[in-house]
Amino acid sequence: MEQERVNPAPNVSGLVRSFTKAIKFRGSGINQDDRINKVRMKLSSEDEEKARIKASMDALLAKLFASISSIKAAYAQLQVYQSPYDSEGIQSVDEILIDELIRLSEMKQIFLKKQIDPSPQVTILLAEIQEQQGLIKTYDIMRRQLETQIKVKDSDINFLKEKLEESEKLNRSLEKRLKSSRVALSVSDDLHFSGLNPNHFVTVLRQTVKSVRSFVKLMICEMKSSGWDLSAAAKSFEPDVVYSRSNHVCFAFEAFVCRMMFDGFQFSNFSHPSRHKTSKKPHQFFKQFIETKSMKPNELLSKFPKFGKFCHEKYLVLVHPKMELSLFGDLNQRNTVNTGGYPDTRFFTEFIEMAKWVWVLHRLAFAFEPEAMIFQMRNRCRFSDVYMESVAEDAFLMEDGSLILDPRVGFTVVPGFKIGKTVIHCQVYPCPG
């Protein structure tokens, strides 16, 4: 019985110890939470301080850029007031610049003293507005300056147009006077047979080429008006040529006309050797050259039947019936030429003007002793500066601007001539090798 009363004692003391430990543990847990909270509060306070400093720096930078924008706008305005000179405007801009420099100095002190902006967001917004205003003002000044420059350029263009019109009128007047005076370039009427030299031939050749190009220009205009595909037509003349510029197809037409008009040039009667031959001497050709070079084409037709026959033959070869029908809607001009007449049309007038100069050049060629020899280059032969020149300066450049390497002869446009030891270059159209 006594043993049963004594045994529970150890269990009571154990419970007391466990309860005491639990109380201590709870107490120690409460103290640790306080420390954690204090650490968290301290870190949060430091982050907030850093955020305020960063916001203040952002606001300071925004104010700096805004001030720079205002200074740029003021400087642009200052340039405007310099010419024409505006003293009041310059003074007002000077005050703006001084104010902005003072603001920059204040910003420097704020940065050095690390002052905190109480409302950085508002400062940033105001600075952005100021910066945009400065930019708008700068662009507006630049716009006005460009508008002024455009007006000046327009004025210059109008002035140059007027000068160009005056020059064109003067040129047309000079051309009319030149034709009416019957003076063929620099080959004077008092030229003597003994004084003949290759320079005279070059002078007449230039006028001949000019007349050919005038006729070709009219022919191309008529073809365009009739709906011709010029590229396809040029390909029929020169099928294997690649043009570096689309407008260079005109050289194919010029080459075709020259080929037809100069065919037989190497013969003294301007005809193939199987036909009638001539026994004229060089001085007789020279005399005929002097007589014909200043004549109008119609006068030449009436006084020299051989020239009329020459025109008939060349026109019928040069202008195909299908071409004439396409250009003019009928064959009236061809029928008139076939019956020995001379059509009174602009097209035929340009043709006989060209024919006249080819004929006159032929008279001059056989006035030399030995006579001037005509030549042209074979297609695809290597380009040489000795005997040829490019018909166009930009023909050596491809469309992408690259230079043609190892250029070849695409085709001869204007034939060349050799008078004694003097070589007059033929004009060719170059193409890639």
Side-chain angles (χ1 to χ4, degrees):
M1 295 289 292
E2 291 178 355
Q3 289 177 352
E4 293 176 358
R5 291 175 182 172
V6 174
N7 288 336
N11 294 334
V12 172
S13 62
L15 289 171
V16 171
R17 285 194 299 273
S18 298
F19 181 74
T20 303
K21 287 179 180 180
I23 291 172
K24 289 181 179 179
F25 179 77
R26 286 189 66 187
S28 64
I30 292 170
N31 292 336
Q32 187 154 350
D33 288 341
D34 289 343
R35 286 196 295 271
I36 290 171
N37 289 334
K38 287 180 181 178
V39 170
R40 286 177 176 172
M41 290 175 64
K42 185 176 180 181
L43 290 174
S44 177
S45 177
E46 289 177 355
D47 290 341
E48 289 178 359
E49 182 66 18
K50 288 180 180 178
R52 284 196 297 271
I53 293 173
K54 184 178 182 301
S56 295
M57 290 302 298
D58 290 343
L60 185 63
L61 284 173
K63 288 170 64 177
L64 177 63
F65 285 121
S67 185
I68 292 172
S69 178
S70 297
I71 290 173
K72 287 172 65 179
Y75 180 73
Q77 188 65 59
L78 183 64
Q79 289 181 314
V80 174
Y81 289 143
Q82 289 287 345
S83 179
Y85 187 80
D86 185 347
S87 59
E88 293 182 0
I90 291 174
Q91 187 175 357
S92 64
V93 173
D94 186 59
E95 292 174 357
I96 294 172
L97 288 171
I98 291 173
D99 291 341
E100 293 301 330
L101 290 174
I102 291 173
R103 288 193 186 92
L104 288 173
S105 178
E106 291 173 352
M107 281 186 269
K108 179 182 177 182
Q109 295 302 318
I110 290 171
F111 176 77
L112 294 175
K113 294 178 181 179
K114 299 181 180 179
Q115 295 178 1
I116 303 299
D117 193 318
S119 54
Q121 296 301 326
V122 175
T123 302
I124 290 173
L125 289 174
L126 293 174
E128 288 180 351
I129 292 171
Q130 182 184 350
E131 183 179 2
Q132 294 302 320
Q133 288 175 340
L135 289 172
I136 290 171
K137 188 175 181 181
T138 302
Y139 291 143
D140 184 60
I141 293 168
M142 292 173 63
R143 177 185 60 79
R144 282 187 273 125
Q145 286 180 329
L146 290 173
E147 287 177 351
T148 302
Q149 291 177 7
I150 289 172
K151 289 180 181 178
V152 173
K153 294 295 182 183
D154 287 341
S155 178
D156 290 342
I157 290 171
N158 291 332
F159 175 76
L160 292 173
K161 281 182 178 178
E162 292 176 359
K163 287 293 184 183
L164 179 61
E165 289 177 359
E166 291 177 3
S167 298
E168 288 177 344
K169 288 180 181 178
L170 180 61
N171 287 339
R172 287 194 292 269
S173 175
L174 290 174
E175 285 179 1
K176 289 180 180 178
R177 289 172 57 188
L178 182 62
K179 289 181 180 179
S180 62
S181 64
R182 300 182 179 181
V183 177
L185 301 174
S186 62
V187 182
S188 59
D189 291 331
D190 59 353
L191 175 66
H192 297 287
F193 180 69
S194 59
L196 189 62
N197 63 66
N199 289 332
H200 299 120
F201 188 87
V202 172
T203 301
V204 179
L205 176 62
R206 286 174 182 168
Q207 179 61 34
T208 305
V209 173
K210 182 180 177 181
S211 67
V212 169
R213 287 175 178 163
S214 179
F215 174 76
V216 170
K217 183 179 179 181
L218 176 61
M219 183 175 70
I220 289 175
C221 288
E222 295 289 352
M223 293 172 74
K224 285 182 178 178
S225 300
S226 301
W228 279 57
D229 184 343
L230 296 182
S231 297
K235 202 170 186 64
S236 67
F237 299 143
E238 304 293 343
D240 301 324
V241 174
V242 177
Y243 298 94
S244 60
R245 302 286 187 279
S246 59
N247 62 336
H248 284 180
V249 296
C250 66
F251 295 123
F253 296 98
E254 187 177 330
F256 171 74
V257 171
C258 283
R259 192 157 55 245
M260 295 296 102
M261 296 303 296
F262 284 96
D263 182 38
F265 190 93
Q266 67 271 31
F267 305 115
S268 59
N269 59 352
F270 215 137
S271 183
H272 293 284
S274 60
R275 301 184 185 178
H276 301 290
K277 296 183 179 181
T278 180
S279 58
K280 282 191 178 71
K281 303 298 182 182
H283 69 274
Q284 292 175 311
F285 278 101
F286 177 78
K287 180 181 178 182
Q288 200 170 88
F289 162 71
I290 293 296
E291 291 175 353
T292 58
K293 71 182 180 64
S294 301
M295 285 185 180
K296 291 182 179 180
N298 290 334
E299 186 180 2
L300 195 58
L301 287 170
S302 62
K303 290 187 177 182
F304 290 87
K306 288 185 178 180
F307 174 68
K309 184 180 178 182
F310 169 78
C311 290
H312 291 161
E313 291 178 352
K314 292 298 181 181
Y315 182 86
L316 296 175
V317 172
L318 180 63
V319 184
H320 193 275
K322 290 183 179 180
M323 178 182 179
E324 184 173 329
L325 185 63
S326 172
L327 297 182
F328 309 112
D330 54 49
L331 297 176
N332 292 342
Q333 294 188 75
R334 190 175 193 84
N335 293 335
T336 303
V337 172
N338 269 325
T339 57
Y342 308 110
D344 186 17
T345 64
R346 182 188 174 193
F347 188 79
F348 192 79
T349 300
E350 287 287 342
F351 168 78
I352 60 172
E353 176 70 19
M354 171 182 67
K356 171 219 167 174
W357 283 108
V358 175
W359 175 268
V360 168
L361 185 70
H362 180 266
R363 304 294 97 179
L364 180 59
F366 280 84
F368 288 92
E369 194 173 11
E371 69 272 10
M373 302 298 294
I374 188 171
F375 68 90
Q376 63 179 7
M377 311 311 298
R378 298 190 314 274
N379 291 3
R380 308 307 300 172
C381 73
R382 192 182 298 276
F383 184 89
S384 170
D385 291 330
V386 178
Y387 295 103
M388 62 191 84
E389 61 185 22
S390 174
V391 73
E393 292 181 0
D394 57 349
F396 285 111
L397 299 175
M398 300 301 291
E399 287 188 357
D400 59 359
S402 60
L403 186 67
I404 294 177
L405 301 177
D406 188 26
R408 302 285 173 147
V409 174
F411 53 88
T412 299
V413 180
V414 179
F417 298 88
K418 186 177 181 182
I419 305 173
K421 295 182 179 180
T422 302
V423 175
I424 301 171
H425 291 173
C426 65
Q427 297 181 22
V428 303
Y429 186 80
C431 62

